[in-house]
Every structure is written in C-alpha cells, then in structure tokens.
Amino acid sequence: PPPREDRPAWQPPAAAQPLAPRAPQRQQPREEEEDDANSYDSDEGTTLGALEFSLHYDQENSSLHCTLIKAKGLKPMDSNGLADPYVKLHLLPGASKSNKLRTKTLRNTRNPVWNETLVYHGITDEDMQRKTLRISVCDEDKFGHNEFIGETRVALKKLKANQKKNFNICLERVIPTKRTGTTGASRGMALYEEEVDRGGDVEERGKILVSLMYSTQQGGLIVGIVRCVHLAAMDANGYSDPFVKL
C-alpha cells in the first residue's frame, strides 16, 4: 500500500499544467503584431496602394491647386521590395505638355510623403465643368523605363470654388471612361480622345512590337505578334503572365 500512495505523488506534473497557458499567452501578441504588419498594406483593399491628396480651385486667380500629401502601401516595383515613386498630373482632355505636371521622386519607399503642391494656372469655370484631373503614381527607373503603378481620376465639376476638398483614394490600374454619346460619331470621338490622352503611358506600361501585312492572295490581314518589353508587373512576384488580344 505505501508504494501505491507514492505513485500519485509523481503527479506534480500538475506543475507543468500552468505552463500550457503561458505558451498561448506569449503567442497572442506576436500574432497581433504580425496581423498589424500584414494589414498595413492591405487595409485599403488594394494591392496598388492608396493616395492622399487635396484639390482647391481658386476662382479669383483662375488656378487649380493639387497638394499631393502621401501614399501608403504602394506596390513594390524594385528588386529590393521598394519603389521610387512620383506623382504625375494630367488634365483631360488635352495632350499638351502644359497639361502635365509632376512631383519630385522619393527613393526606396512604399509609403512616400511628398507634401508638394502643383498648380495649374489659367483654369476657367468652363474648364472646371468639362475637364478631369488624372493623377498617376509611377516608379522612376534610372536605368530603364519608368513604370506605372496606379491612378485615380477626379471630375473637376465635383469641386466647389474656393473650397479645398480632401481625398484618400485607392489606386486603380485602369479607370474606365464614361462615354455619354449615343451616336457612332460621338462615341468615335470619345474613343479618339481617350487614345490621345493615354498616349503618354506607352513607356510606363510597356512596348509591343507587331507586324501587319495585307495578303491579297488570302484576302485578309495578317497580324504578327513579335515581342513585348518593359511590361508593367501585374503579379505579387513582380512578373506577369501576358497574352495579346486583338
């Protein structure tokens, strides 16, 4: 009988039982920290990032002030997992250089803080009713072509004269253009304007080499897709899975 009483005495492993709760208590804060770190770039619901800026139409001086404040969680564009971002403004419609402005470039960051104001002069009330401001975030490449990250567009008619309006918007890859025309002619003109306005992004999104030949024997147009270079990275690994559609 005495040895039987000694056996339960070996149950002090009960002392090991309090160790069980200690492990989860230590892991919980780590998980919370990891969640916070991972959610920092995804809390805006986009993989391209978010841009904070403000617009102010000074009616008396006929000027439009665009203050680029900062961006958060920009898509990594360089091999080091960072980017060299800058912001480019473009008043649409219009293809002249006077319609385009840009900020300085900030190096090696996905969370740039510009606090830079760009000003368009000679803006009329008519311009405010019919023009749209395109705001593009790009990555500067010293040894190659600048790469497009994302954009947003603001119809200037949404602004009230002499009142600053703040924006915090998720960037998008392509902003669909609304075409109000119903006739073939008006739709064709809208398409033409869109092609002209977007012409400045050829170097940023990539280049494609194609060949065209009309065959009288076959009675058809032969399109040859040769190659593409400097395509914008579309996947998280910095690459793309491209195909061409005609």
Side-chain angles (χ1 to χ4, degrees):
R4 292 181 184 174
E5 296 176 356
D6 294 339
R7 288 179 185 175
W10 284 97
Q11 291 178 352
Q17 293 179 357
L19 295 178
R22 292 179 186 174
Q25 287 177 358
R26 293 177 182 176
Q27 292 177 358
Q28 287 178 357
R30 292 178 183 175
E31 293 175 355
E32 292 176 358
E33 291 175 1
E34 292 177 356
D35 291 341
D36 292 340
N38 295 333
S39 64
Y40 182 75
D41 296 335
S42 61
D43 58 353
E44 296 295 343
T46 175
T47 58
L48 301 178
L51 180 65
E52 184 177 345
F53 61 96
S54 66
L55 297 176
H56 175 233
Y57 172 47
D58 187 342
Q59 190 176 35
E60 181 179 355
N61 296 309
S62 302
S63 59
L64 176 65
H65 300 251
C66 179
T67 300
L68 288 312
I69 303 172
K70 63 182 179 180
K72 185 175 75 169
L74 292 180
K75 180 179 179 180
M77 304 298 291
D78 300 335
S79 58
N80 60 3
L82 301 173
D84 302 316
Y86 67 93
V87 179
K88 183 173 63 176
L89 305 183
H90 189 183
L91 271 181
L92 306 175
S96 65
K97 290 185 178 180
S98 62
N99 286 340
K100 300 177 182 179
L101 302 173
R102 61 162 290 176
T103 67
K104 60 186 177 184
T105 300
L106 299 182
R107 302 291 177 185
N108 297 322
T109 178
R110 294 176 57 199
N111 305 290
V113 179
W114 291 283
N115 283 325
E116 186 173 347
T117 300
L118 304 178
V119 182
Y120 283 102
H121 298 281
I123 300 297
T124 64
D125 291 342
E126 181 182 356
D127 292 331
M128 296 297 296
Q129 290 300 317
R130 67 184 186 89
K131 294 206 174 212
T132 297
L133 181 63
R134 179 188 180 198
I135 306 175
S136 307
V137 179
C138 305
D139 173 68
E140 185 175 292
D141 191 344
K142 291 182 178 180
F143 306 104
H145 297 281
N146 296 342
E147 295 180 293
F148 174 83
I149 298 178
E151 70 173 50
T152 187
R153 301 190 185 191
V154 179
L156 298 185
K157 62 183 178 181
K158 296 181 179 179
L159 303 179
K160 295 182 179 179
N162 304 314
Q163 292 186 17
K164 184 175 75 171
K165 187 172 183 179
N166 298 316
F167 298 83
N168 193 346
I169 301 179
C170 296
L171 297 174
E172 299 184 50
R173 175 61 63 175
V174 177
I175 304 295
T177 301
K178 296 181 180 179
R179 299 187 175 97
T180 55
T182 55
T183 64
S186 61
R187 291 178 61 188
M189 180 59 69
L191 178 61
Y192 173 77
E193 290 177 353
E194 179 70 1
E195 290 175 348
V196 172
D197 294 335
R198 299 179 72 87
D201 288 335
V202 174
E203 292 188 352
E204 297 168 356
R205 299 189 182 186
K207 292 183 178 181
I208 183 171
L209 178 61
V210 301
S211 64
L212 299 176
M213 182 181 69
Y214 175 70
S215 174
T216 55
Q217 295 179 349
Q218 300 180 11
L221 178 67
I222 301 176
V223 181
I225 309 299
V226 184
R227 66 174 181 269
C228 294
V229 294
H230 304 299
L231 293 181
M234 302 299 292
D235 298 335
N237 59 6
Y239 295 95
S240 300
D241 303 312
F243 67 93
V244 177
K245 182 171 65 174
L246 301 178

